[in-house]
Amino acid sequence: MNAKDTTVTTRPVTRQTFDEVLVPTYAPAAMVPVRGSGLDLWDQNGKHYLDFTSGIAVNSLGHCNPIVVEALTRQANTLWHLGNGYTNEPVLRLGLALTEATFADRAFFCNSGAEANEAALKLARKYAHAKFGPHKSRIVSCLQSFHGRTLFTVSVGGQSKYTEGFEPLPPSIDHIAYNDIEAARASITDDVCAVIVEPLQGEGGVVPGDKAYLQALRELCDQTGAVLIFDEVQCGMGRTGDLFHYMTYGITPDVLTSAKALGNGYPVAAMLTTNELAATLGVGSHGTTYGGNPLAATVALTVLETINQPEFLARVKQAGDKLRGTMEQLIADYPQVFTLVRGAGLLLGMVVTDAWKGRSKDIQKAAEANGLMVLIAGMDVLRLAPALIVSDEQIAEADRILRVSIDGLL
């Protein structure tokens, strides 16, 4: 090897490099983004894209938001990491801010939504074991839900495509139809330790929870002593126009999980809960190396304080109404392609017609070719999750590009 080959920091890389050196768990787009600002992205060839994915509802304040960049840079020059034999000032401030802003008394910090849900499920099992005995261990989740990719959380998520080949799966996990109150009543009995639900299903097709259904889950958990867990990894942190979506419904869970937008792209997650439940996880019962380190906590606190302002959240609702109205007009103009738009705030799903079933990916690729990045939620739903700072002009531009793209496909 030549001396000049000893470093890869300046070596050219392409999309083909992914196929050569990375485990093929993803099939990324052909283009490789290299720079971002707000909702604007540029690839290796200098081509511009309008980003309506926000990294799958992560970059809610946009790419390279200057407020977040300043906070991260300041902390990077101060203190990076400590083992969990020590605490730090940023994580203490973040814990105070989250508990003051929500129903929760306590917070546990980790790195991802899967890890937050893993902690929530472990907490529920341990709490039930201590209070009621080992017989109370069953977990009830919903079909088409998504709660993470660890073996435990992917088993709790109700999508068999993610568990095939990983058997045997953890036992005592049952799945019921989403928004089906009778199914919930039949399944949530005295042996259930936890009910976990997304108030707004994301990966399952951008399906909103019915208020009556979520209220029924709350009542059934109260009756049976089960822990109600709201997974707000995708729909929380201002995405629907309230800081967390449970606030929209006025239905309070026992545990709430947050990640994704909490760090605006920096890996951080939180499990929020009450004093009574938190007491179950004593010293040594659970942990994580990087959870709540000073860098992550500083970023998360900056994001939280930026989003959790009345005027900011009011604008998210306004932008959500604008985006929904724009997409409803698009559906009216292309009834052969789309049937309805569903979701809340700035997390919306465009459901395709029977004639277009299985083709949401085709629409996504066509939009990307024309400079608009969008998501899918399954093969029958086009998903829109722009940064919460999206402007009316950017919504109009996304509409224009979608129309050009659909015209091309037609």
Side-chain angles (χ1 to χ4, degrees):
M1 182 181 284
N2 298 326
K4 67 179 182 180
D5 293 328
T6 58
T7 177
V8 297
T9 53
T10 57
R11 193 183 304 173
V13 289
T14 65
R15 169 61 180 81
Q16 185 181 345
T17 312
F18 180 97
D19 296 330
E20 295 168 352
V21 300
L22 295 183
V23 175
T25 51
Y26 303 105
M31 63 90 166
V32 179
V34 295
R35 183 169 63 88
S37 176
L39 278 80
D40 298 305
L41 272 183
W42 291 267
D43 69 11
Q44 287 179 317
N45 299 317
K47 180 178 176 179
H48 170 262
Y49 299 85
L50 178 60
D51 182 5
F52 262 54
T53 72
S54 59
I56 315 183
V58 170
N59 304 314
S60 284
L61 298 179
H63 297 281
C64 300
N65 185 289
I67 298 171
V68 183
V69 170
E70 190 280 326
L72 177 59
T73 304
R74 175 171 24 88
Q75 189 59 45
N77 286 305
T78 307
L79 183 67
W80 278 38
H81 180 75
L82 296 161
N84 47 30
Y86 306 88
T87 190
N88 63 81
E89 290 184 346
V91 81
L92 296 174
R93 293 190 180 104
L94 178 60
L96 281 171
L98 278 169
T99 54
E100 288 172 359
T102 66
F103 71 93
D105 306 308
R106 303 276 179 158
F108 170 81
F109 294 106
C110 45
N111 311 293
S112 67
E115 208 180 334
N117 284 327
E118 186 96 9
L121 294 163
K122 284 180 69 176
L123 168 63
R125 278 254 173 101
K126 201 167 192 304
Y127 173 76
H129 192 282
K131 186 169 183 177
F132 300 100
H135 70 282
K136 193 173 181 66
S137 60
R138 192 158 60 89
I139 294 165
V140 174
S141 178
C142 293
L143 295 167
Q144 297 306 117
S145 64
F146 187 88
H147 300 294
R149 294 286 197 142
T150 66
L151 190 60
F152 194 6
T153 56
V154 85
S155 301
V156 171
Q159 302 191 55
S160 59
K161 65 184 178 182
Y162 293 133
T163 58
E164 289 169 2
F166 297 110
E167 299 87 354
L169 303 177
S172 299
I173 300 169
D174 291 328
H175 299 94
I176 59 175
Y178 192 61
N179 282 332
D180 187 331
I181 293 176
E182 291 310 310
R185 286 181 177 142
S187 186
I188 302 169
T189 50
D190 287 339
D191 64 334
V192 171
C193 71
V195 177
I196 183 168
V197 64
E198 299 159 273
L200 169 59
Q201 282 193 339
E203 305 300 317
V206 194
V207 184
D210 294 335
K211 183 173 182 178
Y213 174 71
L214 296 174
Q215 185 62 49
L217 295 184
R218 176 68 277 172
E219 291 166 1
L220 288 163
C221 286
D222 289 341
Q223 291 164 17
T224 59
V227 172
L228 179 61
I229 303 167
F230 273 13
D231 176 344
E232 295 215 25
V233 168
Q234 186 163 161
C235 69
M237 285 302 293
R239 176 60 51 185
T240 64
D242 289 297
L243 181 61
F244 289 104
H245 202 34
Y246 82 86
M247 298 169 175
T248 309
Y249 293 98
I251 299 168
T252 305
D254 301 302
V255 180
L256 181 141
T257 55
S258 176
K260 285 190 179 287
L262 182 61
N264 204 64
Y266 197 100
V268 62
M271 177 194 73
L272 305 176
T273 190
T274 62
N275 279 324
E276 182 186 2
L277 268 71
T280 307
L281 292 182
V283 174
S285 62
H286 191 55
T288 175
T289 296
Y290 300 106
N293 79 30
L295 287 171
T298 297
V299 170
L301 180 59
T302 303
V303 172
L304 175 65
E305 290 183 332
T306 302
I307 291 175
N308 193 28
Q309 300 291 334
E311 59 274 20
F312 186 97
L313 292 169
R315 168 57 198 167
V316 172
K317 290 179 180 176
Q318 183 186 49
D321 290 342
K322 178 75 173 178
L323 181 60
R324 182 183 286 271
T326 302
M327 293 302 102
E328 285 173 347
Q329 184 58 53
L330 186 140
I331 291 169
D333 294 340
Y334 293 89
Q336 70 273 53
V337 180
F338 296 110
T339 61
L340 77 151
V341 58
R342 64 190 180 202
L346 289 171
L347 180 57
L348 298 180
M350 305 274 288
V351 184
V352 300
T353 60
D354 288 343
W356 280 72
K357 276 200 177 300
R359 294 193 63 190
S360 62
K361 190 76 176 176
D362 294 342
I363 303 172
Q364 180 192 36
K365 287 182 176 178
E368 183 186 288
N370 288 311
L372 174 67
M373 296 163 60
V374 292
L375 297 161
I376 59 172
M379 299 312 294
D380 303 327
V381 179
L382 194 73
R383 180 171 28 157
L384 306 176
L388 305 186
I389 59 171
V390 64
S391 67
D392 288 357
E393 292 75 19
Q394 288 168 325
I395 291 171
E397 177 65 2
D399 177 53
R400 184 192 69 78
I401 298 174
L402 270 178
R403 289 169 181 269
V404 169
S405 305
I406 295 166
D407 286 342
L409 289 171
L410 291 172

